[in-house]
Amino acid sequence: MALVTFLSDFGDQDYYVPAVKARMLSINPQLSIIDISHSIEPYDLEHAAFVLRYSFREFPKGTVHLVGINTTGTMTHGYIGVKLEDHIFVGPNNGILSLLADQDPGIMVQFADIHLKDTPFPTRDILAPIAAKVASGAAIHDFGGPLTNFRKLMSRQAKATKEHILGHVIRIDRYGNLITNIRREVFEKLNPGKFTIQFGRESVQKLQTGYDQVEAGDPYAFFNSLDLLEIGIHHGHGGNLLGLKRDSVVYINFES
């Protein structure tokens, strides 16, 4: 099956998304195009990378992922294709593709000038045709040569000692739940049995396994389906009620 996913910050009020899809379908009407999201905050590479990092592995291997985020920004150093864990990504060389995994992609291709054009809409005019052709059987090597200047961005990492873990909020979802960069495996390796999780004006000494294990209005903490520590207020917007935002600090103090 010729499968392409599409991620952008275009929203759904303009012609941008259907124009990109139409360009791909004009090349191969049999393509199956799946929208990951078009509600990414404008130019927000971290938001986009978070959504793509934790969703692309759910698709079949061999899927082509079209990434249309900040494709005309000053950070963009050309347009590239990469192969990561048997998935193909087509997008701008602005650092977003470096945030999808802890290791570099196995194959990285800089698209050649012959496939580029001077356009204010590169997602439609440059990336969409390449994505459609790759999904239809072409190799990303057909569109350029080895990439030598893969732009990288550094994601914020939690810091851990035997006494504590210092992490940060990396995403606040539409419900106000706060997802942190504290991983389950790190917590379980260090946890002596007693701990306090401090976030904003609240603290908890117990982990739940889901949202509904505390009363409405009470704080909670548990490791979510991504094995990341999630915190918040049950049936409340945790970000607003706790005074927290992206990059806010979350502490776990261990008691021996």
Side-chain angles (χ1 to χ4, degrees), residues 157-178:
Q157 302 293 320
K159 298 179 180 179
T161 70
K162 292 182 178 180
E163 289 77 32
H164 69 270
I165 299 175
L166 188 156
H168 294 84
V169 175
I170 59 173
R171 177 71 190 142
I172 302 176
D173 71 15
R174 68 188 302 267
Y175 299 100
N177 306 313
L178 301 108

Side-chain angles (χ1 to χ4, degrees), residues 156-159 165-171 178-182 229 231 245-251:
R156 188 185 290 276
Q157 302 293 320
K159 298 179 180 179
I165 299 175
L166 188 156
H168 294 84
V169 175
I170 59 173
R171 177 71 190 142
L178 301 108
I179 302 170
T180 78
N181 59 357
I182 299 175
L229 182 69
I231 57 178
K245 57 186 179 180
R246 190 163 73 183
D247 284 337
S248 290
V249 172
V250 177
Y251 293 100

Side-chain angles (χ1 to χ4, degrees), residues 44-241:
D44 192 335
L45 300 184
E46 288 185 73
H47 181 189
F50 178 86
V51 171
L52 190 55
R53 178 179 179 125
Y54 292 108
S55 64
F56 83 83
R57 295 177 182 86
E58 305 296 333
F59 291 93
K61 291 183 177 181
T63 297
V64 176
H65 303 276
L66 173 58
V67 182
I69 306 291
N70 203 20
T71 55
T72 60
T74 56
M75 291 176 57
T76 296
H77 296 170
Y79 304 96
I80 61 176
V82 307
K83 186 174 184 179
L84 174 69
E85 299 178 23
D86 293 321
H87 291 254
I88 303 295
F89 299 85
V90 174
N93 186 18
N94 59 13
I96 185 172
L97 299 184
S98 72
L99 297 174
L100 302 183
D102 295 333
Q103 73 278 6
D104 285 347
I107 296 173
M108 297 184 284
V109 173
Q110 176 83 46
F111 295 143
D113 290 346
I114 192 173
H115 300 290
L116 308 181
K117 60 177 66 177
D118 187 12
T119 171
F121 198 173
T123 303
R124 180 193 65 185
D125 298 333
I126 297 173
L127 299 176
I130 294 175
K133 292 172 184 176
V134 172
S136 302
I140 55 173
H141 291 102
D142 297 339
F143 300 95
L147 174 66
T148 58
N149 64 331
F150 184 46
R151 185 172 177 84
K152 294 185 180 182
L153 297 176
M154 298 299 294
S155 60
R156 188 185 290 276
Q157 302 293 320
K159 298 179 180 179
T161 70
K162 292 182 178 180
E163 289 77 32
H164 69 270
I165 299 175
L166 188 156
H168 294 84
V169 175
I170 59 173
R171 177 71 190 142
I172 302 176
D173 71 15
R174 68 188 302 267
Y175 299 100
N177 306 313
L178 301 108
I179 302 170
T180 78
N181 59 357
I182 299 175
R183 300 180 181 277
R184 182 197 297 269
E185 61 181 342
V186 175
F187 172 83
E188 291 183 344
K189 182 177 181 180
L190 297 173
N191 179 22
K194 295 182 65 177
F195 57 86
T196 298
I197 303 175
Q198 181 74 45
F199 47 98
R201 297 179 291 270
E202 297 287 351
S203 64
V204 298
Q205 289 78 41
K206 179 181 178 181
L207 287 171
Q208 287 76 42
T209 58
Y211 303 100
D212 58 355
Q213 294 183 345
V214 298
E215 298 293 330
D218 286 347
Y220 70 82
F222 67 90
F223 284 96
N224 63 20
S225 62
L226 304 175
D227 284 334
L228 297 174
L229 182 69
E230 184 169 329
I231 57 178
I233 302 295
H234 185 39
H235 281 191
H237 193 290
N240 293 339
L241 294 172

